[in-house]
Amino acid sequence: MTIRVLLADDQALLRATFRILIDSDPGMTVVAEAADGREAIDLTRAHAPDVVLMDLRMPDTDGLTATAGICSLPDLAATRVLVLTTFENDQNVARALRAGASGFLGKDVGPDVLLTGIRTVAAGESLLSPAATRTLITRFLATPDAEAPLAPPERLTTLTEREREVMSLVAYGMSNTEIAGHLVVSPLTVRSHVQRAMTKLHARDRAQLVVIAYQSGLVRPRP
């Protein structure tokens, strides 16, 4: 199945570069381009792409607002947002994850990393595994702020002990295969635990499950 991608960036040259790269992959195609957040929301509703590559810093309606708008629409539940940023220490990255983004990449990543990232989020995974990314995100997510948590702490009581354990390992950036090896179970069993935890906590995807894990205090950033 071809992965359908929407590009949202105010720089036309960068959009053109990404389009050439993505369209060169036989398993992907660019279905639309947006120059600001409002256009990104409108075009996403019109095309229902699998993945939106979202620049956070755009004029008028920014990428953070657009991400929240897209991820809040029930009819776009299958669309994943992958944030692109040149500001790797930007707290807006963490806010985008809270809003429903499935991960982020720097704009200076290589072609292979970008294409792999698109495939990863299109498959329902999150881009929170690399050590540097995990360290950055956990630092921001562990910082108290005025934003309401995605899930009230008491909702974690609905999880089984195994689901809490699996959720903790997900929050530390482990893949299903790595978790399966650690717990000596099958990857399918791990996936089932992850899916049940997401359902109980009303998490959109694994990225939001990670956010909830840190916001609730289930896990703490590793030194």
Side-chain angles (χ1 to χ4, degrees):
M1 176 182 286
T2 301
I3 299 173
R4 304 170 67 254
V5 181
L6 185 145
L7 304 176
D9 195 296
D10 62 324
Q11 300 181 49
L13 181 59
L14 194 58
R15 293 199 310 272
T17 301
F18 283 148
R19 175 182 279 273
I20 292 172
L21 172 62
I22 293 168
D23 283 344
S24 69
D25 188 301
M28 301 182 191
T29 186
V30 174
V31 296
E33 297 182 21
D36 60 47
R38 170 46 57 188
E39 191 175 17
I41 294 173
D42 292 342
L43 289 175
T44 300
R45 297 188 73 167
H47 295 276
D50 300 302
V51 177
V52 177
L53 286 184
M54 182 73 73
D55 179 25
L56 289 184
R57 299 192 175 240
M58 293 185 288
D60 301 321
T61 303
D62 61 25
L64 179 59
T65 302
T67 296
I70 290 169
C71 294
S72 67
L73 297 173
D75 56 336
L76 293 177
T79 295
R80 299 289 179 249
V81 177
L82 177 57
V83 168
L84 294 173
T85 178
T86 55
F87 300 86
E88 292 188 358
N89 64 344
D90 194 337
Q91 291 197 42
N92 282 338
V93 171
R95 294 191 180 101
L97 292 174
R98 292 189 184 102
S102 294
F104 79 94
L105 289 172
K107 286 187 176 181
D108 58 350
V109 297
D112 291 343
V113 174
L114 177 64
L115 295 177
T116 298
I118 293 172
R119 294 189 194 97
T120 298
V121 297
E125 300 292 330
S126 60
L127 280 181
L128 300 177
S129 294
T133 301
R134 183 170 64 249
T135 299
L136 168 66
I137 294 302
T138 56
R139 184 170 70 246
F140 283 128
L141 295 182
T143 301
D145 58 25
E147 296 182 49
L150 289 178
E154 59 269 19
R155 194 175 292 168
L156 266 70
T157 61
T158 65
L159 301 182
T160 65
E161 182 177 350
R162 179 62 91 179
E163 288 164 357
R164 290 166 66 92
E165 183 177 20
V166 169
M167 180 176 171
S168 297
L169 296 174
V170 168
Y172 283 131
M174 295 177 69
S175 68
N176 285 358
T177 300
E178 290 169 335
I179 295 172
H182 180 77
L183 299 179
V184 194
V185 297
S186 73
L188 183 59
T189 297
V190 173
R191 182 176 182 180
S192 296
H193 287 311
V194 171
Q195 290 294 331
R196 284 197 292 268
M198 287 170 52
T199 298
K200 291 179 179 180
L201 298 175
H202 301 162
R204 177 183 173 90
D205 57 15
R206 288 173 73 103
Q208 284 204 338
L209 201 62
V210 172
V211 174
I212 294 170
Y214 283 99
Q215 284 187 331
S216 66
L218 179 64
V219 294
R220 300 290 182 184
R222 287 176 172 172

